[in-house]
Amino acid sequence: MILKVHVAEKHGFERKGMDVYTTENIPYTTAVLGGEAVFRTLYGNVKCKIPAGTQSGSKIRLKQKGIVSMKDSSVRGDAYVT
């Protein structure tokens, strides 16, 4: 048996290994003063704290919200939001 797998792209997400990258917009006031924002992930929405003084282009890491390992289902990559 030959099994051929094609991994389709998900609009708005980019995969690099087991990590997933995406870009989201947050209000200017949240970036300057800090607060919370809701980000989309492959597994649903996640609420995240935004530190005060966050600069445009900063990356926020969402631990274990990336791709599940094919070898060990308890291992996941991370999601990064710019």
Side-chain angles (χ1 to χ4, degrees), residues 42-55:
L42 297 175
Y43 307 101
N45 293 336
V46 173
K47 189 182 285 189
C48 182
K49 289 186 179 182
I50 307 297
T54 298
Q55 297 292 313

Side-chain angles (χ1 to χ4, degrees), residues 9-15 20-22 24 40-42 79:
E9 293 184 19
K10 179 132 174 113
H11 181 69
F13 294 94
E14 180 182 351
R15 179 180 178 177
V20 176
Y21 293 81
T22 188
E24 295 283 344
R40 296 178 306 132
T41 70
L42 297 175

Side-chain angles (χ1 to χ4, degrees), residues 3 23 25 29-30 39-40 48 53 61-62 65:
L3 178 65
T23 302
N25 293 316
T29 53
T30 304
F39 298 123
R40 296 178 306 132
C48 182
R61 178 178 164 205
L62 304 174
K65 296 296 181 184

Side-chain angles (χ1 to χ4, degrees), residues 18 43 64 66-78:
M18 289 178 36
Y43 307 101
Q64 297 190 358
I67 305 296
V68 177
S69 172
M70 296 292 283
K71 295 178 183 176
D72 183 357
S73 62
S74 67
V75 176
R76 288 186 182 210
D78 297 325

